[in-house]
Amino acid sequence: DQQVKQNSPSLSVQEGRISILNCDYTNSMFDYFLWYKKYPAEGPTFLISISSIKDKNEDGRFTVFLNKSAKHLSLHIVPSQPGDSAVYFCAASHSGNTPLVFGKGTRLSVIA
Amino acid sequence: GAVVSQHPSRVICKSGTSVKIECRSLDFQATTMFWYRQFPKQSLMLMATSNEGSKATYEQGVEKDKFLINHASLTLSTLTVTSAHPEDSSFYICSARRGGGWYEQYFGPGTRLTVT
């Protein structure tokens, strides 16, 4: 059973517009959520995270929103740039000692 | 900060031989390191979790005698693929996490293993 789901395998957005990547989770014990960006043949790069005590965290062009009642989080990238084209993984964890649980990823393509 | 390196980045070996992959945290001490495997167009599959100075915890379905993990220091973990077969060909990625309750994991660049 997948505890972290990214239901859109791919997303295409025009340069300058907003990219919204979605993630749903089923385990109510998760209390920390992270987004990673991955290029082909490279390891994932940490982007941004959010604790369950918050509903929004912003870092430059990246904002993560958390809706605990819906068990849903989203990553907003605005404005989108061609260099943002990559696979984005949502991950979740409960307590600091357990491995992250990853979604299957969403491939974002930003078109110039 | 939080840089993780992996070596080698690519390795080709013959069937039946063993391959060692190193994972190092360069600018922090990693009490926990993780090893993942990624198949083409698929998500990261956690293979095992290793804590410094103790035995690794393997995920279900991962053969611990085939994938030997050693976490000898706070900055180094190694994965040895023993008696490699073509089906072991994959992209192996390690990640490291600081101690003290930090959640973030920092990933290495990955190692492409090809077994011929």
Side-chain angles (χ1 to χ4, degrees), chain A residues 31-32 34 36 38 41-44 46 49 89 93-100 102-105 107, chain B residues 10 34 36 38 41-44 46 49 59 91 93 97 101-110 112:
Chain A
D31 60 0
Y32 204 80
L34 307 90
Y36 286 84
K38 186 181 182 303
E42 292 185 13
F46 169 70
S49 61
F89 289 98
S93 179
H94 59 91
S95 85
N97 291 324
T98 56
L100 295 177
F102 284 87
K104 291 192 171 182
R107 180 176 301 278
Chain B
R10 285 181 172 272
F34 306 88
Y36 293 83
Q38 185 180 31
K41 297 186 180 180
Q42 293 193 28
S43 184
L44 302 164
L46 178 66
T49 302
E59 295 299 301
F91 192 58
I93 311 175
R97 187 167 64 195
W102 287 86
Y103 288 82
E104 285 84 358
Q105 288 177 213
Y106 298 94
F107 286 82
R112 169 71 59 193

mmCIF file of all heavy atoms in Angstrom, chain A residues 31-32 34 36 38 41-44 46 49 89 93-100 102-105 107, chain B residues 10 34 36 38 41-44 46 49 59 91 93 97 101-110 112:
data_model
loop_
_atom_site.group_PDB
_atom_site.id
_atom_site.type_symbol
_atom_site.label_atom_id
_atom_site.label_comp_id
_atom_site.label_asym_id
_atom_site.label_seq_id
_atom_site.Cartn_x
_atom_site.Cartn_y
_atom_site.Cartn_z
ATOM 1 N N ASP A 31 4.741 13.456 10.202
ATOM 2 C CA ASP A 31 4.765 14.801 10.762
ATOM 3 C C ASP A 31 5.792 15.710 10.101
ATOM 4 O O ASP A 31 6.025 16.830 10.563
ATOM 5 C CB ASP A 31 5.006 14.746 12.277
ATOM 6 C CG ASP A 31 6.327 14.073 12.628
ATOM 7 O OD1 ASP A 31 7.053 13.645 11.707
ATOM 8 O OD2 ASP A 31 6.625 13.969 13.826
ATOM 9 N N TYR A 32 6.396 15.229 9.043
ATOM 10 C CA TYR A 32 7.379 16.064 8.345
ATOM 11 C C TYR A 32 7.362 15.668 6.881
ATOM 12 O O TYR A 32 7.342 14.477 6.556
ATOM 13 C CB TYR A 32 8.774 15.839 8.941
ATOM 14 C CG TYR A 32 9.707 16.995 8.727
ATOM 15 C CD1 TYR A 32 9.641 18.129 9.532
ATOM 16 C CD2 TYR A 32 10.668 16.972 7.724
ATOM 17 C CE1 TYR A 32 10.496 19.192 9.357
ATOM 18 C CE2 TYR A 32 11.528 18.031 7.533
ATOM 19 C CZ TYR A 32 11.438 19.137 8.354
ATOM 20 O OH TYR A 32 12.294 20.180 8.176
ATOM 21 N N LEU A 34 8.790 16.559 2.778
ATOM 22 C CA LEU A 34 9.896 17.147 2.040
ATOM 23 C C LEU A 34 9.652 17.011 0.546
ATOM 24 O O LEU A 34 8.966 16.089 0.100
ATOM 25 C CB LEU A 34 11.218 16.434 2.385
ATOM 26 C CG LEU A 34 11.588 16.313 3.857
ATOM 27 C CD1 LEU A 34 11.031 15.027 4.474
ATOM 28 C CD2 LEU A 34 13.095 16.335 4.027
ATOM 29 N N TYR A 36 11.890 16.833 -3.077
ATOM 30 C CA TYR A 36 13.199 16.666 -3.694
ATOM 31 C C TYR A 36 13.055 16.821 -5.200
ATOM 32 O O TYR A 36 12.024 16.483 -5.778
ATOM 33 C CB TYR A 36 13.776 15.280 -3.398
ATOM 34 C CG TYR A 36 14.284 15.093 -1.992
ATOM 35 C CD1 TYR A 36 13.426 14.741 -0.959
ATOM 36 C CD2 TYR A 36 15.631 15.264 -1.698
ATOM 37 C CE1 TYR A 36 13.901 14.571 0.333
ATOM 38 C CE2 TYR A 36 16.119 15.079 -0.411
ATOM 39 C CZ TYR A 36 15.241 14.733 0.600
ATOM 40 O OH TYR A 36 15.721 14.555 1.869
ATOM 41 N N LYS A 38 14.997 15.852 -8.882
ATOM 42 C CA LYS A 38 15.982 14.893 -9.381
ATOM 43 C C LYS A 38 16.142 15.023 -10.894
ATOM 44 O O LYS A 38 15.168 14.967 -11.641
ATOM 45 C CB LYS A 38 15.565 13.468 -9.014
ATOM 46 C CG LYS A 38 16.624 12.435 -9.381
ATOM 47 C CD LYS A 38 16.172 11.042 -9.030
ATOM 48 C CE LYS A 38 17.267 10.021 -9.363
ATOM 49 N NZ LYS A 38 17.684 10.044 -10.781
ATOM 50 N N ALA A 41 20.129 10.406 -13.854
ATOM 51 C CA ALA A 41 21.471 9.928 -13.505
ATOM 52 C C ALA A 41 22.134 10.773 -12.416
ATOM 53 O O ALA A 41 23.370 10.837 -12.340
ATOM 54 C CB ALA A 41 22.365 9.862 -14.740
ATOM 55 N N GLU A 42 21.338 11.411 -11.587
ATOM 56 C CA GLU A 42 21.868 12.140 -10.440
ATOM 57 C C GLU A 42 21.054 11.775 -9.207
ATOM 58 O O GLU A 42 19.936 11.277 -9.308
ATOM 59 C CB GLU A 42 21.781 13.654 -10.651
ATOM 60 C CG GLU A 42 22.694 14.183 -11.728
ATOM 61 C CD GLU A 42 22.649 15.704 -11.799
ATOM 62 O OE1 GLU A 42 22.119 16.346 -10.871
ATOM 63 O OE2 GLU A 42 23.151 16.245 -12.803
ATOM 64 N N GLY A 43 21.627 12.040 -8.022
ATOM 65 C CA GLY A 43 20.863 11.850 -6.804
ATOM 66 C C GLY A 43 19.870 12.977 -6.605
ATOM 67 O O GLY A 43 20.038 14.066 -7.137
ATOM 68 N N PRO A 44 18.798 12.729 -5.840
ATOM 69 C CA PRO A 44 17.822 13.790 -5.560
ATOM 70 C C PRO A 44 18.444 14.931 -4.763
ATOM 71 O O PRO A 44 19.332 14.710 -3.941
ATOM 72 C CB PRO A 44 16.753 13.078 -4.727
ATOM 73 C CG PRO A 44 16.937 11.625 -5.005
ATOM 74 C CD PRO A 44 18.392 11.450 -5.249
ATOM 75 N N PHE A 46 17.586 18.054 -2.149
ATOM 76 C CA PHE A 46 16.571 18.560 -1.241
ATOM 77 C C PHE A 46 16.159 19.972 -1.661
ATOM 78 O O PHE A 46 16.990 20.828 -1.937
ATOM 79 C CB PHE A 46 17.125 18.569 0.187
ATOM 80 C CG PHE A 46 16.270 19.307 1.171
ATOM 81 C CD1 PHE A 46 15.040 18.794 1.558
ATOM 82 C CD2 PHE A 46 16.680 20.515 1.704
ATOM 83 C CE1 PHE A 46 14.240 19.477 2.462
ATOM 84 C CE2 PHE A 46 15.894 21.198 2.611
ATOM 85 C CZ PHE A 46 14.677 20.678 2.986
ATOM 86 N N SER A 49 11.027 21.818 2.826
ATOM 87 C CA SER A 49 10.311 20.909 3.714
ATOM 88 C C SER A 49 9.290 21.681 4.536
ATOM 89 O O SER A 49 9.295 22.916 4.560
ATOM 90 C CB SER A 49 11.306 20.208 4.649
ATOM 91 O OG SER A 49 11.990 21.162 5.456
ATOM 92 N N PHE A 89 10.059 14.610 -6.318
ATOM 93 C CA PHE A 89 9.585 13.582 -5.395
ATOM 94 C C PHE A 89 9.090 14.229 -4.110
ATOM 95 O O PHE A 89 9.757 15.077 -3.526
ATOM 96 C CB PHE A 89 10.714 12.605 -5.045
ATOM 97 C CG PHE A 89 11.107 11.696 -6.164
ATOM 98 C CD1 PHE A 89 12.200 11.979 -6.956
ATOM 99 C CD2 PHE A 89 10.385 10.537 -6.409
ATOM 100 C CE1 PHE A 89 12.570 11.139 -7.992
ATOM 101 C CE2 PHE A 89 10.750 9.683 -7.437
ATOM 102 C CZ PHE A 89 11.852 9.986 -8.230
ATOM 103 N N SER A 93 7.832 11.609 6.593
ATOM 104 C CA SER A 93 8.475 10.866 7.666
ATOM 105 C C SER A 93 7.717 11.086 8.966
ATOM 106 O O SER A 93 7.025 12.095 9.131
ATOM 107 C CB SER A 93 9.924 11.335 7.843
ATOM 108 O OG SER A 93 10.561 10.643 8.895
ATOM 109 N N HIS A 94 7.829 10.131 9.880
ATOM 110 C CA HIS A 94 7.341 10.367 11.244
ATOM 111 C C HIS A 94 8.463 10.039 12.203
ATOM 112 O O HIS A 94 9.105 8.999 12.080
ATOM 113 C CB HIS A 94 6.074 9.575 11.560
ATOM 114 C CG HIS A 94 6.216 8.095 11.440
ATOM 115 N ND1 HIS A 94 6.592 7.278 12.488
ATOM 116 C CD2 HIS A 94 6.017 7.269 10.397
ATOM 117 C CE1 HIS A 94 6.606 6.025 12.084
ATOM 118 N NE2 HIS A 94 6.264 5.986 10.835
ATOM 119 N N SER A 95 8.735 10.938 13.044
ATOM 120 C CA SER A 95 9.882 10.936 13.964
ATOM 121 C C SER A 95 11.155 11.091 13.152
ATOM 122 O O SER A 95 11.176 10.934 11.939
ATOM 123 C CB SER A 95 9.948 9.686 14.830
ATOM 124 O OG SER A 95 10.610 8.642 14.154
ATOM 125 N N GLY A 96 12.240 11.387 13.822
ATOM 126 C CA GLY A 96 13.473 11.675 13.085
ATOM 127 C C GLY A 96 14.283 10.442 12.756
ATOM 128 O O GLY A 96 15.304 10.531 12.123
ATOM 129 N N ASN A 97 13.829 9.273 13.197
ATOM 130 C CA ASN A 97 14.675 8.091 13.043
ATOM 131 C C ASN A 97 14.223 7.129 11.963
ATOM 132 O O ASN A 97 14.880 6.139 11.701
ATOM 133 C CB ASN A 97 14.738 7.334 14.372
ATOM 134 C CG ASN A 97 15.503 8.123 15.417
ATOM 135 O OD1 ASN A 97 16.465 8.798 15.092
ATOM 136 N ND2 ASN A 97 15.054 8.055 16.651
ATOM 137 N N THR A 98 13.097 7.407 11.356
ATOM 138 C CA THR A 98 12.602 6.474 10.344
ATOM 139 C C THR A 98 12.997 6.950 8.956
ATOM 140 O O THR A 98 13.150 8.148 8.713
ATOM 141 C CB THR A 98 11.076 6.340 10.427
ATOM 142 O OG1 THR A 98 10.492 7.640 10.291
ATOM 143 C CG2 THR A 98 10.669 5.743 11.760
ATOM 144 N N PRO A 99 13.129 6.018 8.001
ATOM 145 C CA PRO A 99 13.464 6.431 6.634
ATOM 146 C C PRO A 99 12.332 7.254 6.034
ATOM 147 O O PRO A 99 11.165 7.103 6.408
ATOM 148 C CB PRO A 99 13.611 5.099 5.887
ATOM 149 C CG PRO A 99 13.770 4.066 6.937
ATOM 150 C CD PRO A 99 13.039 4.568 8.129
ATOM 151 N N LEU A 100 12.688 8.087 5.089
ATOM 152 C CA LEU A 100 11.667 8.825 4.352
ATOM 153 C C LEU A 100 10.886 7.856 3.472
ATOM 154 O O LEU A 100 11.439 6.903 2.926
ATOM 155 C CB LEU A 100 12.311 9.893 3.473
ATOM 156 C CG LEU A 100 13.040 11.022 4.209
ATOM 157 C CD1 LEU A 100 13.695 11.954 3.205
ATOM 158 C CD2 LEU A 100 12.075 11.793 5.092
ATOM 159 N N PHE A 102 8.892 7.794 0.034
ATOM 160 C CA PHE A 102 8.828 8.606 -1.181
ATOM 161 C C PHE A 102 7.608 8.274 -2.030
ATOM 162 O O PHE A 102 7.164 7.122 -2.091
ATOM 163 C CB PHE A 102 10.079 8.384 -2.041
ATOM 164 C CG PHE A 102 11.300 9.082 -1.520
ATOM 165 C CD1 PHE A 102 12.117 8.466 -0.589
ATOM 166 C CD2 PHE A 102 11.629 10.353 -1.962
ATOM 167 C CE1 PHE A 102 13.255 9.116 -0.100
ATOM 168 C CE2 PHE A 102 12.756 11.001 -1.480
ATOM 169 C CZ PHE A 102 13.553 10.382 -0.548
ATOM 170 N N GLY A 103 7.102 9.290 -2.710
ATOM 171 C CA GLY A 103 6.134 9.076 -3.770
ATOM 172 C C GLY A 103 6.863 8.632 -5.028
ATOM 173 O O GLY A 103 8.095 8.547 -5.051
ATOM 174 N N LYS A 104 6.110 8.358 -6.088
ATOM 175 C CA LYS A 104 6.712 7.861 -7.322
ATOM 176 C C LYS A 104 7.259 8.971 -8.220
ATOM 177 O O LYS A 104 7.904 8.686 -9.221
ATOM 178 C CB LYS A 104 5.706 7.018 -8.103
ATOM 179 C CG LYS A 104 5.389 5.707 -7.411
ATOM 180 C CD LYS A 104 4.641 4.753 -8.316
ATOM 181 C CE LYS A 104 4.540 3.388 -7.642
ATOM 182 N NZ LYS A 104 3.866 2.390 -8.473
ATOM 183 N N GLY A 105 6.999 10.196 -7.846
ATOM 184 C CA GLY A 105 7.574 11.307 -8.591
ATOM 185 C C GLY A 105 6.647 11.851 -9.662
ATOM 186 O O GLY A 105 5.778 11.146 -10.185
ATOM 187 N N ARG A 107 7.137 14.158 -13.204
ATOM 188 C CA ARG A 107 8.088 14.772 -14.138
ATOM 189 C C ARG A 107 7.535 16.112 -14.610
ATOM 190 O O ARG A 107 6.489 16.167 -15.256
ATOM 191 C CB ARG A 107 8.329 13.856 -15.336
ATOM 192 C CG ARG A 107 9.320 14.428 -16.355
ATOM 193 C CD ARG A 107 9.586 13.441 -17.479
ATOM 194 N NE ARG A 107 10.125 12.191 -16.961
ATOM 195 C CZ ARG A 107 11.391 11.981 -16.657
ATOM 196 N NH1 ARG A 107 12.272 12.942 -16.821
ATOM 197 N NH2 ARG A 107 11.796 10.804 -16.201
ATOM 198 N N ARG B 10 30.325 5.378 -11.936
ATOM 199 C CA ARG B 10 29.922 4.340 -12.874
ATOM 200 C C ARG B 10 30.856 3.156 -12.701
ATOM 201 O O ARG B 10 32.052 3.340 -12.509
ATOM 202 C CB ARG B 10 30.075 4.824 -14.321
ATOM 203 C CG ARG B 10 29.041 5.783 -14.795
ATOM 204 C CD ARG B 10 29.287 6.166 -16.243
ATOM 205 N NE ARG B 10 28.196 6.950 -16.771
ATOM 206 C CZ ARG B 10 27.131 6.413 -17.337
ATOM 207 N NH1 ARG B 10 27.029 5.127 -17.479
ATOM 208 N NH2 ARG B 10 26.168 7.198 -17.784
ATOM 209 N N PHE B 34 21.366 5.703 4.276
ATOM 210 C CA PHE B 34 20.378 4.878 3.600
ATOM 211 C C PHE B 34 20.891 4.512 2.208
ATOM 212 O O PHE B 34 21.575 5.308 1.559
ATOM 213 C CB PHE B 34 19.056 5.643 3.444
ATOM 214 C CG PHE B 34 18.498 6.190 4.731
ATOM 215 C CD1 PHE B 34 18.873 7.440 5.188
ATOM 216 C CD2 PHE B 34 17.598 5.459 5.472
ATOM 217 C CE1 PHE B 34 18.362 7.956 6.369
ATOM 218 C CE2 PHE B 34 17.070 5.963 6.659
ATOM 219 C CZ PHE B 34 17.460 7.211 7.108
ATOM 220 N N TYR B 36 19.536 3.245 -1.550
ATOM 221 C CA TYR B 36 18.377 3.113 -2.418
ATOM 222 C C TYR B 36 18.816 2.530 -3.757
ATOM 223 O O TYR B 36 19.969 2.616 -4.154
ATOM 224 C CB TYR B 36 17.735 4.488 -2.693
ATOM 225 C CG TYR B 36 17.109 5.154 -1.502
ATOM 226 C CD1 TYR B 36 17.884 5.889 -0.597
ATOM 227 C CD2 TYR B 36 15.738 5.094 -1.289
ATOM 228 C CE1 TYR B 36 17.308 6.528 0.494
ATOM 229 C CE2 TYR B 36 15.151 5.736 -0.201
ATOM 230 C CZ TYR B 36 15.954 6.438 0.665
ATOM 231 O OH TYR B 36 15.371 7.069 1.743
ATOM 232 N N GLN B 38 17.300 2.542 -7.843
ATOM 233 C CA GLN B 38 16.283 3.099 -8.724
ATOM 234 C C GLN B 38 16.346 2.411 -10.071
ATOM 235 O O GLN B 38 17.385 2.402 -10.734
ATOM 236 C CB GLN B 38 16.473 4.605 -8.912
ATOM 237 C CG GLN B 38 15.348 5.227 -9.737
ATOM 238 C CD GLN B 38 15.497 6.712 -9.950
ATOM 239 O OE1 GLN B 38 16.606 7.227 -10.008
ATOM 240 N NE2 GLN B 38 14.384 7.415 -10.065
ATOM 241 N N LYS B 41 12.720 4.902 -14.789
ATOM 242 C CA LYS B 41 11.378 5.497 -14.737
ATOM 243 C C LYS B 41 10.593 5.027 -13.515
ATOM 244 O O LYS B 41 9.358 5.000 -13.549
ATOM 245 C CB LYS B 41 10.608 5.205 -16.017
ATOM 246 C CG LYS B 41 11.271 5.818 -17.254
ATOM 247 C CD LYS B 41 10.427 5.638 -18.495
ATOM 248 C CE LYS B 41 11.143 6.268 -19.689
ATOM 249 N NZ LYS B 41 10.387 6.147 -20.926
ATOM 250 N N GLN B 42 11.272 4.664 -12.470
ATOM 251 C CA GLN B 42 10.587 4.264 -11.246
ATOM 252 C C GLN B 42 11.103 5.072 -10.067
ATOM 253 O O GLN B 42 12.079 5.799 -10.173
ATOM 254 C CB GLN B 42 10.796 2.767 -10.996
ATOM 255 C CG GLN B 42 10.119 1.886 -12.012
ATOM 256 C CD GLN B 42 10.085 0.448 -11.575
ATOM 257 O OE1 GLN B 42 10.076 0.146 -10.378
ATOM 258 N NE2 GLN B 42 10.052 -0.458 -12.529
ATOM 259 N N SER B 43 10.395 4.934 -8.967
ATOM 260 C CA SER B 43 10.767 5.702 -7.799
ATOM 261 C C SER B 43 11.979 5.080 -7.106
ATOM 262 O O SER B 43 12.496 4.049 -7.515
ATOM 263 C CB SER B 43 9.586 5.753 -6.837
ATOM 264 O OG SER B 43 9.886 6.580 -5.729
ATOM 265 N N LEU B 44 12.401 5.733 -6.058
ATOM 266 C CA LEU B 44 13.521 5.222 -5.270
ATOM 267 C C LEU B 44 13.030 4.075 -4.398
ATOM 268 O O LEU B 44 12.028 4.206 -3.699
ATOM 269 C CB LEU B 44 14.065 6.335 -4.372
ATOM 270 C CG LEU B 44 14.542 7.581 -5.095
ATOM 271 C CD1 LEU B 44 14.694 8.728 -4.134
ATOM 272 C CD2 LEU B 44 15.857 7.300 -5.785
ATOM 273 N N LEU B 46 13.942 1.898 -1.237
ATOM 274 C CA LEU B 46 14.841 1.792 -0.089
ATOM 275 C C LEU B 46 15.305 0.352 0.066
ATOM 276 O O LEU B 46 14.487 -0.570 0.115
ATOM 277 C CB LEU B 46 14.136 2.263 1.180
ATOM 278 C CG LEU B 46 14.944 2.173 2.477
ATOM 279 C CD1 LEU B 46 16.129 3.138 2.447
ATOM 280 C CD2 LEU B 46 14.063 2.469 3.680
ATOM 281 N N THR B 49 18.790 0.545 5.811
ATOM 282 C CA THR B 49 19.148 1.679 6.672
ATOM 283 C C THR B 49 20.317 1.256 7.525
ATOM 284 O O THR B 49 20.291 0.160 8.118
ATOM 285 C CB THR B 49 17.965 2.036 7.595
ATOM 286 O OG1 THR B 49 16.831 2.351 6.793
ATOM 287 C CG2 THR B 49 18.310 3.217 8.483
ATOM 288 N N GLU B 59 15.321 -3.845 4.096
ATOM 289 C CA GLU B 59 13.906 -3.865 3.751
ATOM 290 C C GLU B 59 13.529 -5.265 3.266
ATOM 291 O O GLU B 59 14.373 -6.061 2.830
ATOM 292 C CB GLU B 59 13.607 -2.836 2.669
ATOM 293 C CG GLU B 59 13.830 -1.404 3.133
ATOM 294 C CD GLU B 59 12.943 -1.007 4.295
ATOM 295 O OE1 GLU B 59 11.706 -1.070 4.150
ATOM 296 O OE2 GLU B 59 13.491 -0.638 5.359
ATOM 297 N N PHE B 91 20.767 1.743 -10.766
ATOM 298 C CA PHE B 91 21.322 2.996 -10.263
ATOM 299 C C PHE B 91 21.187 2.956 -8.747
ATOM 300 O O PHE B 91 20.080 2.873 -8.221
ATOM 301 C CB PHE B 91 20.529 4.159 -10.879
ATOM 302 C CG PHE B 91 21.149 5.511 -10.678
ATOM 303 C CD1 PHE B 91 22.433 5.782 -11.120
ATOM 304 C CD2 PHE B 91 20.447 6.531 -10.062
ATOM 305 C CE1 PHE B 91 23.009 7.037 -10.956
ATOM 306 C CE2 PHE B 91 21.008 7.796 -9.889
ATOM 307 C CZ PHE B 91 22.285 8.041 -10.332
ATOM 308 N N ILE B 93 21.789 4.679 -5.079
ATOM 309 C CA ILE B 93 21.944 6.015 -4.487
ATOM 310 C C ILE B 93 21.981 5.878 -2.971
ATOM 311 O O ILE B 93 21.179 5.139 -2.394
ATOM 312 C CB ILE B 93 20.768 6.945 -4.854
ATOM 313 C CG1 ILE B 93 20.479 6.918 -6.352
ATOM 314 C CG2 ILE B 93 21.046 8.374 -4.402
ATOM 315 C CD1 ILE B 93 19.247 7.726 -6.748
ATOM 316 N N ARG B 97 21.864 11.244 6.863
ATOM 317 C CA ARG B 97 21.094 12.141 7.728
ATOM 318 C C ARG B 97 21.895 12.447 8.975
ATOM 319 O O ARG B 97 22.514 11.556 9.563
ATOM 320 C CB ARG B 97 19.760 11.480 8.101
ATOM 321 C CG ARG B 97 18.816 12.386 8.865
ATOM 322 C CD ARG B 97 17.425 11.805 8.930
ATOM 323 N NE ARG B 97 17.378 10.562 9.665
ATOM 324 C CZ ARG B 97 16.346 9.722 9.616
ATOM 325 N NH1 ARG B 97 15.307 9.986 8.862
ATOM 326 N NH2 ARG B 97 16.382 8.607 10.307
ATOM 327 N N GLY B 101 17.785 14.277 15.520
ATOM 328 C CA GLY B 101 16.387 14.469 15.156
ATOM 329 C C GLY B 101 16.152 15.183 13.855
ATOM 330 O O GLY B 101 15.019 15.554 13.528
ATOM 331 N N TRP B 102 17.183 15.418 13.052
ATOM 332 C CA TRP B 102 17.004 16.048 11.748
ATOM 333 C C TRP B 102 16.270 15.081 10.825
ATOM 334 O O TRP B 102 16.568 13.899 10.783
ATOM 335 C CB TRP B 102 18.362 16.395 11.137
ATOM 336 C CG TRP B 102 19.023 17.550 11.810
ATOM 337 C CD1 TRP B 102 19.816 17.521 12.911
ATOM 338 C CD2 TRP B 102 18.936 18.923 11.417
ATOM 339 N NE1 TRP B 102 20.239 18.782 13.225
ATOM 340 C CE2 TRP B 102 19.720 19.657 12.332
ATOM 341 C CE3 TRP B 102 18.297 19.591 10.371
ATOM 342 C CZ2 TRP B 102 19.862 21.040 12.233
ATOM 343 C CZ3 TRP B 102 18.444 20.965 10.278
ATOM 344 C CH2 TRP B 102 19.208 21.663 11.208
ATOM 345 N N TYR B 103 15.321 15.589 10.066
ATOM 346 C CA TYR B 103 14.584 14.749 9.133
ATOM 347 C C TYR B 103 15.222 14.697 7.753
ATOM 348 O O TYR B 103 15.111 13.717 7.053
ATOM 349 C CB TYR B 103 13.162 15.285 8.970
ATOM 350 C CG TYR B 103 12.261 15.076 10.156
ATOM 351 C CD1 TYR B 103 12.296 15.933 11.240
ATOM 352 C CD2 TYR B 103 11.366 14.017 10.184
ATOM 353 C CE1 TYR B 103 11.456 15.743 12.327
ATOM 354 C CE2 TYR B 103 10.511 13.833 11.265
ATOM 355 C CZ TYR B 103 10.570 14.705 12.326
ATOM 356 O OH TYR B 103 9.733 14.509 13.397
ATOM 357 N N GLU B 104 15.857 15.805 7.377
ATOM 358 C CA GLU B 104 16.331 15.879 5.990
ATOM 359 C C GLU B 104 17.390 14.831 5.694
ATOM 360 O O GLU B 104 18.285 14.596 6.503
ATOM 361 C CB GLU B 104 16.932 17.268 5.701
ATOM 362 C CG GLU B 104 15.921 18.377 5.524
ATOM 363 C CD GLU B 104 15.479 18.974 6.848
ATOM 364 O OE1 GLU B 104 15.936 18.491 7.904
ATOM 365 O OE2 GLU B 104 14.672 19.916 6.817
ATOM 366 N N GLN B 105 17.239 14.204 4.557
ATOM 367 C CA GLN B 105 18.254 13.309 4.042
ATOM 368 C C GLN B 105 18.909 13.991 2.845
ATOM 369 O O GLN B 105 18.225 14.588 2.023
ATOM 370 C CB GLN B 105 17.638 11.987 3.584
ATOM 371 C CG GLN B 105 17.169 11.092 4.702
ATOM 372 C CD GLN B 105 16.495 9.835 4.188
ATOM 373 O OE1 GLN B 105 15.584 9.322 4.797
ATOM 374 N NE2 GLN B 105 16.939 9.328 3.042
ATOM 375 N N TYR B 106 20.214 13.851 2.768
ATOM 376 C CA TYR B 106 20.972 14.435 1.667
ATOM 377 C C TYR B 106 21.546 13.299 0.845
ATOM 378 O O TYR B 106 22.162 12.374 1.384
ATOM 379 C CB TYR B 106 22.065 15.357 2.212
ATOM 380 C CG TYR B 106 21.464 16.511 2.980
ATOM 381 C CD1 TYR B 106 21.297 16.456 4.363
ATOM 382 C CD2 TYR B 106 21.007 17.646 2.311
ATOM 383 C CE1 TYR B 106 20.709 17.499 5.064
ATOM 384 C CE2 TYR B 106 20.422 18.698 3.009
ATOM 385 C CZ TYR B 106 20.266 18.610 4.379
ATOM 386 O OH TYR B 106 19.677 19.641 5.060
ATOM 387 N N PHE B 107 21.312 13.390 -0.446
ATOM 388 C CA PHE B 107 21.619 12.280 -1.327
ATOM 389 C C PHE B 107 22.965 12.448 -2.029
ATOM 390 O O PHE B 107 23.379 13.554 -2.357
ATOM 391 C CB PHE B 107 20.525 12.124 -2.386
ATOM 392 C CG PHE B 107 19.261 11.542 -1.838
ATOM 393 C CD1 PHE B 107 18.341 12.341 -1.176
ATOM 394 C CD2 PHE B 107 18.995 10.189 -1.979
ATOM 395 C CE1 PHE B 107 17.186 11.797 -0.656
ATOM 396 C CE2 PHE B 107 17.836 9.643 -1.467
ATOM 397 C CZ PHE B 107 16.932 10.438 -0.807
ATOM 398 N N GLY B 108 23.588 11.312 -2.271
ATOM 399 C CA GLY B 108 24.761 11.297 -3.120
ATOM 400 C C GLY B 108 24.336 11.357 -4.580
ATOM 401 O O GLY B 108 23.152 11.290 -4.903
ATOM 402 N N PRO B 109 25.309 11.464 -5.483
ATOM 403 C CA PRO B 109 24.995 11.590 -6.908
ATOM 404 C C PRO B 109 24.626 10.276 -7.579
ATOM 405 O O PRO B 109 24.206 10.270 -8.735
ATOM 406 C CB PRO B 109 26.291 12.151 -7.498
ATOM 407 C CG PRO B 109 27.353 11.689 -6.571
ATOM 408 C CD PRO B 109 26.740 11.648 -5.207
ATOM 409 N N GLY B 110 24.782 9.165 -6.866
ATOM 410 C CA GLY B 110 24.401 7.887 -7.448
ATOM 411 C C GLY B 110 25.557 7.159 -8.128
ATOM 412 O O GLY B 110 26.552 7.760 -8.518
ATOM 413 N N ARG B 112 26.028 4.178 -11.146
ATOM 414 C CA ARG B 112 25.419 3.332 -12.182
ATOM 415 C C ARG B 112 26.216 2.035 -12.249
ATOM 416 O O ARG B 112 27.390 2.043 -12.612
ATOM 417 C CB ARG B 112 25.454 4.041 -13.535
ATOM 418 C CG ARG B 112 25.104 3.168 -14.730
ATOM 419 C CD ARG B 112 23.644 2.814 -14.774
ATOM 420 N NE ARG B 112 22.786 3.984 -14.836
ATOM 421 C CZ ARG B 112 21.476 3.940 -14.631
ATOM 422 N NH1 ARG B 112 20.887 2.799 -14.334
ATOM 423 N NH2 ARG B 112 20.756 5.035 -14.717
#
